Amino acid sequence: MEFPRFTFNPKEGIDNPALVITDDPEPDYSLVPTLCHLKRLPGQNFGFHLQKDQSNPGFEVRDVETCSPAMRGGLKDGDRLLEVNEEYVDNMDFMRVVRKIQSCTLHVFLLVLRRSDYEQAVSAGMDMQALAKASKGDYWSRPRLCHISRNVSHGLGMSIFSLQGQKGCYFVSTVADGPAEEAGVRSGDRLIWINGVMVSCLTRSFLSRTVKKSRDSVTVLVIDSESERCYARRKIPILPILAECCRLPYATKTMHLLKGEDGYGFLLRQEKLAVTQCIVHVLREVDVGSPAEESGMEDGDLLLAVNGEPVESMEHDNVVKAIRKSGHKVTLTTIPLAGGQFYRELGIPPLLFHDRWTFQDDRWQTDPHIAENQRETPGLNGDGCPTYPRLYIQDEEALKTNQQL
């Protein structure tokens, strides 16, 4: 039996009709996400609503206000949110995304797909995360916020140098296996920021004095050269809100409390810090064996949030009311007193890197339908404490019952 002869012409392709070759579909790079940098002044809100889409996964931007930071930043009604501050959020819990935006100060970076592009991508079964990553470039990585502790052998384990003719441009050389490398700094990294100050405006001598004055530790923001070029190409300033955290010495803690027969078992006091004169809400007199102690509460911790709502800038009476209104259960977010001081000296809100919000847990679910809009001034209030934005949150059920948000 003779079989038909198979021939291949590279110009015409395969001439055997019985043979079909298929490849996995590749992302359609004609669908390019839009990066929106929202910048606001003290007293402003970002000026948009965020809505959870019940028919599709993901989050939709709605009601962008005229002349708002959102509109000036390029945000449009119907945009679908992919990333917040360079972190993919399309598959995250809704309230976690909201809190990530709330914890920002005067800047937030939102990567979005226009509505028509999003619908096209969904119908084509495209990988949204791959699409978002492709928009950054092949060698992109986030900047790193690193806390370096001195040791006796190597000190900080790094030296800072500049290139001739490049004013305000500093790089880092590290000692192998030294404190800087252990903290996440790599030799050749560009130094962006040290102890809360951008180094581009510092002279070499002033920078050296800053490092010497730092005593036991320094906190630096660094980035590799390839990634720096990616940020320059995308015209994005390199800021701490975009960073990956490396060995920061303090972290926030979230505690779930169920009220006992004698209450929660702690006292909330308003105190003024001796050094900064900042007014804070402090957890005191934690009762032995109480729900508070069992949840991990420690005397002297600073209260940052109640049921996910930032409270540092709230009046003390309103914080107490928020806890009482919560009923027989409450979720509290705290940080040690020294941790609050650490972030305050760096000019970073302590909630910025806290995104373990557990609002969708059955035991701790809060009302997802509505939250207040961003009316509070971010940054520092009159007492020197951080204030946090508020954001309109909507889902489809809320829109059916309440149009004015």
Side-chain angles (χ1 to χ4, degrees):
M1 179 178 178
E2 292 187 4
F3 292 94
R5 185 178 179 184
F6 171 76
T7 60
F8 175 70
N9 186 325
K11 294 184 178 179
E12 297 178 359
I14 298 172
D15 66 353
N16 185 353
L19 181 61
V20 178
I21 297 177
T22 60
D23 293 322
D24 293 334
E26 295 184 356
D28 181 359
Y29 294 112
S30 65
L31 300 179
V32 180
T34 300
L35 182 67
C36 301
H37 180 189
L38 278 56
K39 299 178 286 187
R40 60 182 174 183
L41 299 172
Q44 280 188 307
N45 59 3
F46 284 127
F48 73 97
H49 298 191
L50 186 66
Q51 177 174 305
K52 183 177 181 181
D53 190 342
Q54 300 294 333
S55 59
N56 290 303
F59 314 106
E60 184 176 6
V61 172
R62 298 290 296 272
D63 301 329
V64 176
E65 298 173 9
T66 303
C67 298
S68 65
M71 176 174 282
R72 290 195 298 272
L75 212 57
K76 296 182 179 180
D77 278 11
D79 283 348
R80 296 305 184 106
L81 184 62
L82 299 182
E83 291 185 346
V84 175
N85 294 334
E86 302 282 71
E87 185 173 0
Y88 187 71
V89 299
D90 193 54
N91 56 359
M92 280 188 187
D93 174 80
F94 180 54
M95 290 304 299
R96 182 179 173 188
V97 176
V98 168
R99 299 310 182 194
K100 289 181 76 66
I101 298 174
Q102 282 187 319
S103 65
C104 296
T105 51
L106 299 178
H107 299 260
V108 66
F109 294 85
L110 305 179
L111 187 71
V112 299
L113 263 182
R114 302 306 184 197
R115 177 185 293 170
S116 59
D117 289 345
Y118 187 88
E119 292 171 353
Q120 181 181 342
V122 169
S123 64
M126 294 179 61
D127 185 335
M128 298 294 180
Q129 191 165 6
L131 190 64
K133 186 177 180 180
S135 69
K136 298 178 174 64
D138 294 334
Y139 302 103
W140 167 89
S141 63
R142 297 172 70 179
R144 282 157 279 124
L145 188 64
C146 308
H147 184 75
I148 310 168
S149 298
R150 293 182 187 270
N151 67 22
V152 177
S153 302
H154 301 295
L156 294 174
M158 70 174 188
S159 58
I160 300 172
F161 65 93
S162 59
L163 300 180
Q164 188 174 1
Q166 297 188 23
K167 186 178 179 180
C169 186
Y170 299 101
F171 297 87
V172 176
S173 177
T174 61
V175 175
D177 300 321
E181 279 199 357
E182 291 179 355
V185 181
R186 303 166 193 157
S187 196
D189 277 345
R190 170 80 181 271
L191 180 63
I192 304 295
W193 178 97
I194 185 167
N195 290 347
V197 180
M198 299 294 286
V199 301
S200 58
C201 59
L202 301 182
T203 64
R204 184 68 180 86
S205 59
F206 190 89
L207 180 57
S208 298
R209 290 196 299 271
T210 300
V211 173
K212 290 178 181 178
K213 282 172 39 181
S214 59
R215 297 180 182 177
D216 297 331
S217 63
V218 296
T219 305
V220 297
L221 182 67
V222 295
I223 191 169
D224 66 86
S225 57
E226 290 284 356
S227 297
E228 183 191 6
R229 283 192 283 270
C230 289
Y231 277 95
R233 175 179 55 81
R234 298 165 67 205
K235 300 180 180 179
I236 303 177
I238 301 170
L239 302 173
I241 61 171
L242 303 174
E244 171 188 357
C245 294
C246 301
R247 298 179 59 132
L248 295 184
Y250 300 100
T252 56
K253 176 172 59 179
T254 294
M255 300 172 291
H256 304 304
L257 282 69
L258 287 173
K259 185 181 289 185
E261 294 182 358
D262 298 322
Y264 291 118
F266 71 93
L267 179 67
L268 181 66
R269 292 178 52 182
Q270 186 178 56
E271 300 180 10
K272 180 179 288 188
L273 298 179
V275 177
T276 64
Q277 299 297 300
C278 180
I279 302 297
V280 293
H281 308 291
V282 186
L283 304 172
R284 295 291 190 190
E285 300 181 24
V286 181
D287 295 337
V288 176
S290 66
E293 185 189 53
E294 292 176 356
S295 71
M297 185 181 296
E298 298 182 18
D299 184 84
D301 283 350
L302 302 182
L303 181 61
L304 303 178
V306 175
N307 293 329
E309 183 70 18
V311 299
E312 284 185 278
S313 60
M314 282 188 184
E315 293 293 333
H316 185 70
D317 289 346
N318 291 334
V319 179
V320 174
K321 289 178 183 177
I323 296 174
R324 289 176 176 169
K325 186 179 178 181
S326 188
H328 70 282
K329 60 184 179 181
V330 68
T331 299
L332 304 179
T333 303
T334 66
I335 195 168
L337 179 62
Q341 184 66 22
F342 170 79
Y343 285 105
R344 192 169 290 111
E345 289 177 353
L346 294 179
I348 300 175
L351 285 175
L352 181 61
F353 302 110
H354 174 79
D355 61 356
R356 295 184 178 182
W357 307 96
T358 53
F359 297 97
Q360 300 305 313
D361 188 298
D362 290 338
R363 294 172 58 204
W364 307 108
Q365 186 171 353
T366 58
D367 183 3
H369 294 302
I370 197 166
E372 295 179 75
N373 197 16
Q374 308 163 2
R375 297 300 177 191
E376 295 186 24
T377 303
L380 300 178
N381 64 11
D383 295 316
C385 295
T387 61
Y388 294 88
R390 299 168 183 246
L391 177 69
Y392 272 133
I393 307 165
Q394 307 172 354
D395 64 17
E396 293 295 336
E397 290 300 316
L399 289 175
K400 294 177 182 177
T401 58
N402 191 339
Q403 297 292 327
Q404 187 175 4
L405 296 175

